[in-house]
Amino acid sequence: MDQVAEKKGVCVPTFKDLGEFGFIDRIARHGLVREEGVLCGIGDDCAVFELGEERALLVTADLMVEEVHFRVAGTALEGLGYKLLAVNLSDVAAMGGEPRDAVVSAAIPADFDAEYMERVYNGLHTCASRFGVNVAGGDTTRSPGPLVLNLTLTGEMARDRVRYRSGARPGDLVYVSGTLGDSAAGLKLALGEDVGISEEDRAFLLRRHHRPEPRVALGQALAATGAVTAMIDLSDGAASDLRHVCRQSGVGAVVAADAVPLSPALRAFCEATQTDPLCPALSGGEDYELLFTVDPERVRALKAWEALPAVCPVGRIEAGEARIFLEGVEGGRKVLEGAGFDHFKAGCGEL
Amino acid sequence: MDQVAEKKGVCVPTFKDLGEFGFIDRIARHGLVREEGVLCGIGDDCAVFELGEERALLVTADLMVEEVHFRVAGTALEGLGYKLLAVNLSDVAAMGGEPRDAVVSAAIPADFDAEYMERVYNGLHTCASRFGVNVAGGDTTRSPGPLVLNLTLTGEMARDRVRYRSGARPGDLVYVSGTLGDSAAGLKLALGEDVGISEEDRAFLLRRHHRPEPRVALGQALAATGAVTAMIDLSDGAASDLRHVCRQSGVGAVVAADAVPLSPALRAFCEATQTDPLCPALSGGEDYELLFTVDPERVRALKAWEALPAVCPVGRIEAGEARIFLEGVEGGRKVLEGAGFDHFKAGCGEL
């Protein structure tokens, strides 16, 4: 085993250079040790493993790091715990699965108040109760720096219903749930941006940021329709997440600018700040809505399904390179270049 | 949701005050959201869930934090990756399980060389290949401070063979595998302590610290004998880990000082440093051997099992409080007070 080499004169890429996705590409090359029992390794919302003859086990993990994902001073700690589980639930929702059990690891600064940490766990348990998830075991250790939390969540579902990112085909319709961009605006408000909007709009946007609503029931319902060909949750921003679907399906996509669902609160926020709501809607992270593609011949299955909450079509899948076009801006098509939210680079990618 | 309160004049315990185990006790009070399907929640080496009719799913997680568990400058990064998986394999071994799949989360400083991180993954994959574990998915994000790695490992086994910490009964014999205390001595060498011992002894102790050998096959074999009543892996130090077994089984234990297995390398180290080898053997962490209790009437099942690697009896379980006595020191019995290794407190607890 080599010791860590001194930094040489040659150009060694850092994580900032590679970015999160560049790094994931690099480590994905290692491949799997054994194919047996693995339905999906790296590169989807969850890893998927065989479970008996007909079921699948889902496993997903999400980290939350102080100063990257939150600041202790300005954060409601119950909300932090709630969100830690909610973002993982969103990953299970994106496969169409039923969440099962969570394991939490925490690296905690030695001078951190135990009471603060109990608030984090209270919020976690509030979310766990709502979604019927057990919080079991885990690991706790000291951190010499930031508070770092990791939650690993398992899920379960019928194997033939699992929806992957890789199933989109040319001609499929692209749908999203809810409204987009609210969380990015909520983050700006949480960071103290002074915006002249109503208290109601402010509360809505903050809540969309701090208390994302994982679409667990919706994901299961969509997977059950048989009409959905690919699915992903919106964590990095719709453009970036749609690009993941396109890359893994070997297709392109076009999004209609005027079809992107925007909340009245986001419209008010963007009017007050004189910004384009399509920026947070397409490149803002942490919406935790679902984006999915639908076989156009089976779209009635979707429409007939009355219990589905608000979902709407925003575009379609096309043959070709994994590029996303935005249609209806300045009368034509433009390529969406934004990388979405990447924690190693800038906050919100530009449109 | 409350914002974080200003620190008041009252005494609020910090993590340093409570310690790792005090904190775990506090959060364990939250209990489970639903009992259904959970065989063991918090408080064993793995969480254990029902898997179909007769199988059990094991889930365990371990964190490794820069400046707490390792230093990048003095660490062979392949070894770090190897150990990250090995310590989790040790938890699955302690239940008697067969390891399955791993999910890794990493919070990485932005200026960290991508090449360094690939070395970590190379070591991880070396260990994964040896033990037939798949490394799937996970989460990668930036850290504003230390490198933080979390690995969550799943395992599987027959439900009726799972060995818990809680099964020890008065009269049971206490066994350990391998030799104890080598890792603690190896850590001192790794931190630069200059000790006059042979190169061979030095290499052995360093290897025991950097490349722990998870007793996966042994754990499975022990669980299959039907003679083992409780099992735990030695991560915090034998005294502390035996105390976990005692607390959860509602029993006490006595350890015979002259039965504790010591390697010739540790004896040489302690001779050279004029220290008592029982200190690292009983209170040093990270041996990753197995400690288990055996029904005395079935101990022949253990002895007859030829394929078992070196295991030896070190004491016995007694009725009474969850205290550990050390026998044969200065002619009598003394209570073992040491808390073992606690990352929130001192390094190696005193004897």
Side-chain angles (χ1 to χ4, degrees):
Chain A
M1 287 182 293
D2 298 336
Q3 299 295 311
V4 172
E6 289 295 317
K7 216 158 176 169
K8 291 148 281 180
V10 298
C11 175
V12 180
T14 64
F15 278 88
K16 210 169 165 185
D17 302 330
L18 283 179
E20 180 178 348
F21 306 122
F23 174 66
I24 291 171
D25 285 347
R26 261 175 106 131
I27 58 168
R29 283 185 229 146
H30 280 285
L32 293 169
V33 167
R34 54 174 173 79
E35 302 286 329
E36 183 208 340
V38 181
L39 299 168
C40 176
I42 214 160
D44 215 304
D45 291 282
C46 295
V48 187
F49 306 106
E50 290 178 7
L51 199 60
E53 292 294 298
E54 294 174 356
R55 307 282 291 169
L57 175 71
L58 311 174
V59 184
T60 183
D62 269 292
L63 276 168
M64 292 184 85
V65 180
E66 188 182 345
E67 300 298 326
V68 176
H69 300 89
F70 63 93
R71 289 197 172 87
V72 170
T75 302
L77 294 176
E78 287 84 354
L80 180 64
Y82 193 99
K83 193 166 173 177
L84 179 65
L85 178 53
V87 300
N88 280 285
L89 286 166
S90 184
D91 285 320
V92 168
M95 314 305 290
E98 184 188 333
R100 277 189 56 155
D101 304 286
V103 177
V104 182
S105 295
I108 307 169
D111 60 355
F112 203 71
D113 281 358
E115 189 193 319
Y116 289 5
M117 204 61 207
E118 286 208 37
R119 287 198 207 166
V120 174
Y121 274 86
N122 283 338
L124 181 56
H125 282 268
T126 302
C127 187
S129 297
R130 263 196 67 199
F131 289 91
V133 169
N134 273 314
V135 181
D139 191 20
T140 305
T141 187
R142 181 170 65 82
S143 169
L147 175 64
V148 179
L149 301 167
N150 182 78
L151 189 143
T152 304
L153 179 67
T154 63
E156 205 187 317
M157 66 186 300
R159 196 182 298 175
D160 58 2
R161 285 197 177 168
V162 182
R163 297 297 91 183
Y164 298 98
R165 295 179 178 179
S166 55
R169 291 160 304 192
D172 284 355
L173 301 169
V174 179
Y175 275 72
V176 295
S177 65
T179 55
L180 308 187
D182 300 326
S183 177
L187 174 61
K188 286 189 177 171
L189 293 172
L191 293 176
E193 192 163 320
D194 185 24
V195 179
I197 55 173
S198 71
E199 268 316 301
E200 200 185 341
D201 286 343
R202 170 185 298 274
F204 173 85
L205 295 172
L206 282 169
R207 188 171 178 86
R208 290 280 285 165
H209 180 68
H210 288 306
R211 281 268 181 161
E213 184 66 29
R215 302 299 184 186
V216 175
L218 176 62
Q220 289 174 33
L222 289 171
T225 61
V228 171
T229 53
M231 189 147 61
I232 191 170
D233 81 319
L234 295 179
S235 56
D236 300 319
S240 174
D241 290 318
L242 178 53
R243 195 174 291 112
H244 291 316
V245 169
C246 287
R247 283 177 64 184
Q248 291 185 39
S249 300
V251 296
V254 57
V255 171
D258 59 4
V260 175
L262 304 171
S263 68
L266 181 67
R267 288 184 194 277
F269 178 95
C270 290
E271 215 158 280
T273 53
Q274 294 194 294
T275 53
D276 182 352
L278 280 180
C279 170
L282 295 175
S283 297
E286 303 202 303
D287 277 321
Y288 300 107
E289 295 291 346
L290 295 177
L291 181 150
F292 53 100
T293 57
V294 180
D295 178 346
E297 298 192 359
R298 305 184 74 172
V299 73
R300 274 171 193 282
L302 204 70
K303 285 182 176 158
W305 218 80
E306 285 187 12
L308 283 184
V311 299
C312 72
V314 295
R316 64 181 178 281
I317 298 295
E318 298 189 331
E321 273 184 85
R323 281 195 302 187
I324 320 284
F325 292 97
L326 187 66
E327 215 168 45
V329 174
E330 295 159 13
R333 272 189 169 201
K334 61 178 276 190
V335 177
L336 267 177
E337 302 282 4
F341 195 78
D342 181 334
H343 288 295
F344 286 105
K345 298 190 170 178
C348 175
E350 78 268 37
L351 195 62
Chain B
M1 286 182 293
D2 298 337
Q3 299 295 310
V4 173
E6 288 295 318
K7 217 157 178 170
K8 290 147 280 177
V10 298
C11 175
V12 180
T14 64
F15 278 89
K16 211 170 164 184
D17 302 329
L18 283 180
E20 181 178 348
F21 306 121
F23 175 66
I24 291 171
D25 285 347
R26 260 175 105 131
I27 59 168
R29 282 186 230 147
H30 279 285
L32 293 170
V33 167
R34 54 173 172 79
E35 300 287 330
E36 183 207 340
V38 181
L39 299 168
C40 175
I42 214 160
D44 215 304
D45 291 281
C46 295
V48 188
F49 305 106
E50 289 178 8
L51 198 61
E53 292 294 299
E54 294 175 356
R55 307 281 292 168
L57 176 70
L58 312 174
V59 185
T60 182
D62 269 292
L63 275 168
M64 292 184 84
V65 180
E66 188 182 345
E67 299 299 325
V68 176
H69 299 89
F70 64 93
R71 288 197 171 87
V72 170
T75 302
L77 294 175
E78 287 85 354
L80 180 64
Y82 193 99
K83 193 165 173 177
L84 179 65
L85 178 53
V87 300
N88 280 285
L89 285 167
S90 184
D91 285 320
V92 169
M95 313 305 290
E98 183 187 336
R100 277 191 55 155
D101 304 286
V103 177
V104 182
S105 295
I108 307 171
D111 60 356
F112 203 70
D113 281 358
E115 191 193 318
Y116 288 5
M117 204 60 208
E118 285 208 36
R119 289 198 206 164
V120 174
Y121 274 85
N122 283 338
L124 181 56
H125 282 268
T126 302
C127 188
S129 297
R130 265 196 66 199
F131 289 91
V133 169
N134 274 313
V135 181
D139 191 20
T140 306
T141 187
R142 182 170 65 79
S143 170
L147 174 65
V148 179
L149 301 167
N150 182 78
L151 189 143
T152 304
L153 179 67
T154 63
E156 207 187 314
M157 67 186 299
R159 195 182 300 174
D160 58 3
R161 286 197 176 168
V162 182
R163 297 298 90 182
Y164 298 98
R165 295 178 179 179
S166 55
R169 290 161 306 191
D172 284 355
L173 302 169
V174 179
Y175 275 72
V176 295
S177 65
T179 54
L180 307 188
D182 300 326
S183 177
L187 174 61
K188 286 188 175 169
L189 293 172
L191 292 175
E193 193 164 318
D194 186 23
V195 180
I197 55 172
S198 72
E199 269 315 302
E200 201 185 339
D201 285 344
R202 170 185 297 274
F204 173 84
L205 295 172
L206 281 169
R207 189 172 177 85
R208 291 279 286 166
H209 180 68
H210 288 307
R211 281 268 182 161
E213 184 66 30
R215 303 298 184 186
V216 175
L218 177 62
Q220 289 175 33
L222 288 171
T225 62
V228 171
T229 53
M231 190 147 60
I232 191 170
D233 81 319
L234 295 179
S235 57
D236 300 319
S240 174
D241 291 318
L242 177 54
R243 194 173 291 111
H244 291 316
V245 168
C246 287
R247 283 177 63 184
Q248 291 185 38
S249 300
V251 295
V254 57
V255 170
D258 59 5
V260 176
L262 305 172
S263 68
L266 182 68
R267 287 186 195 277
F269 178 95
C270 290
E271 215 158 281
T273 53
Q274 295 193 293
T275 53
D276 182 351
L278 280 180
C279 169
L282 294 175
S283 297
E286 303 204 301
D287 278 321
Y288 299 108
E289 296 291 346
L290 295 176
L291 181 150
F292 53 100
T293 57
V294 180
D295 179 344
E297 298 193 359
R298 304 185 74 173
V299 75
R300 275 171 191 282
L302 204 70
K303 284 183 177 158
W305 218 78
E306 284 186 12
L308 283 184
V311 298
C312 72
V314 296
R316 63 182 180 281
I317 298 295
E318 298 189 329
E321 272 185 88
R323 281 195 302 187
I324 320 283
F325 291 97
L326 187 65
E327 215 169 44
V329 173
E330 294 159 15
R333 271 189 169 199
K334 61 178 276 192
V335 177
L336 266 177
E337 301 283 4
F341 196 79
D342 181 333
H343 288 295
F344 286 106
K345 298 191 170 176
C348 174
E350 77 268 34
L351 196 62

